[in-house]
């Protein structure tokens, strides 16, 4: 993987040298963009994974609720539903279920996963009104998701305007250079 990334970086630099011959500033900017591209990709991929995890959290909680309403215990429901999940979320939820069973701390970079762990750890210790508490937590997650979607929709136009102004400003600087 590192060899492929180094080869792509090398080809990017060679292409930059061939295309941008007159301006040293443009060549530095071209190289800087190549150096930042892997980090930007990692950030984008991490955010994408986070969104995917949060999108699948509410259906997971719904399945836990249905399992609890059928008469299963909390640990049994959590364990069986985490095994039914696929991909990265399934692996994270299996770690989550094991941490609850063994009463170990669970550290995760996602705030909602930490909140869910705190809730389930509390429910494991104090099993009063489990279904009601999980339903409230699920509603809270859904409200937060809807709110963040509305905020993103509202902020999309100012961000697009800022991007256009930034591109025009960069074009003006290059024109004057």
């Amino acid at each position: 993987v590192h060899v492929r990334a180094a080869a792509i970086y090398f080809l990017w630099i060679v292409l930059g040298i061939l295309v941008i011959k007159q301006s040293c500033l443009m060549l530095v900017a071209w190289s800087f963009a190549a150096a930042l591209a892997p980090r930007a990709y990692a950030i984008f991929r991490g955010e994408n994974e986070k969104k995917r995890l949060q999108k699948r959290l509410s259906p997971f909680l719904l399945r836990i609720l249905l399992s609890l309403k059928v008469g299963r215990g909390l640990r049994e429901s959590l364990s069986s539903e985490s095994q039914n999940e696929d991909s990265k979320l399934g692996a994270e939820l299996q770690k989550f279920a094991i941490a609850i069973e063994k009463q170990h701390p669970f550290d995760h970079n996602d705030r909602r996963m930490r909140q869910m762990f705190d809730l389930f750890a509390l429910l494991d210790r104090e099993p009063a009104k489990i279904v009601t508490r999980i339903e409230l937590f699920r509603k809270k997650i859904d409200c937060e998701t809807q709110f963040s979607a509305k905020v993103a929709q509202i902020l999309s136009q100012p961000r697009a305007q800022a991007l256009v102004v930034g591109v025009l400003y960069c074009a003006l600087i290059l024109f004057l250079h």
Side-chain angles (χ1 to χ4, degrees):
V1 176
H2 296 292
V3 173
R4 187 174 8 159
I8 291 172
Y9 184 72
F10 178 74
L11 289 174
W12 182 266
I13 297 298
V14 169
L15 182 66
I17 291 171
L18 293 176
V19 172
I20 307 169
K21 294 180 182 176
Q22 287 84 17
S23 176
C24 183
L25 179 67
M26 284 296 295
L27 189 58
V28 168
W30 185 268
S31 300
F32 190 67
L36 288 181
R39 180 69 180 147
Y41 175 73
I43 290 172
F44 174 74
R45 188 171 179 178
E47 288 297 318
N48 203 10
E49 283 291 324
K50 186 177 176 181
K51 286 179 184 177
R52 189 177 309 145
L53 179 100
Q54 291 176 358
K55 188 186 292 185
R56 296 183 71 182
L57 205 56
S58 185
F60 173 76
L61 287 172
L62 181 62
R63 288 194 308 274
I64 292 284
L65 283 169
L66 293 174
S67 181
L68 288 170
K69 287 180 181 179
V70 168
R72 289 184 179 167
L74 180 67
R75 287 184 182 184
E76 181 185 355
S77 300
L78 187 60
S79 178
S80 66
E81 292 302 325
S82 65
Q83 289 175 355
N84 291 340
E85 278 292 328
D86 57 343
S87 73
K88 186 172 175 67
L89 179 63
E92 292 295 325
L93 290 172
Q94 286 176 356
K95 291 177 191 175
F96 181 88
I98 290 170
I100 285 185
E101 285 179 19
K102 296 185 178 184
Q103 297 180 350
H104 290 299
F106 180 74
D107 190 31
H108 198 272
N109 56 1
D110 185 28
R111 177 183 55 86
R112 288 186 182 168
M113 286 292 285
R114 288 191 309 265
Q115 289 176 348
M116 190 170 84
F117 176 76
D118 293 340
L119 173 72
F120 276 82
L122 177 69
L123 293 176
D124 191 43
R125 289 188 307 266
E126 301 172 7
K129 298 184 180 181
I130 293 177
V131 174
T132 307
R133 288 177 173 179
I134 295 176
E135 284 176 344
L136 288 174
F137 182 71
R138 184 172 170 265
K139 286 179 184 177
K140 176 186 167 194
I141 286 178
D142 289 341
C143 285
E144 287 176 355
T145 303
Q146 289 173 354
F147 181 74
S148 64
K150 286 181 182 180
V151 167
Q153 181 183 8
I154 290 169
L155 291 178
S156 65
Q157 185 176 4
R159 285 181 181 158
Q161 289 172 351
L163 179 68
V164 168
V165 168
V167 167
L168 289 174
Y169 182 73
C170 289
L172 180 64
I173 287 175
L174 288 176
F175 178 74
L176 291 176
H177 180 66

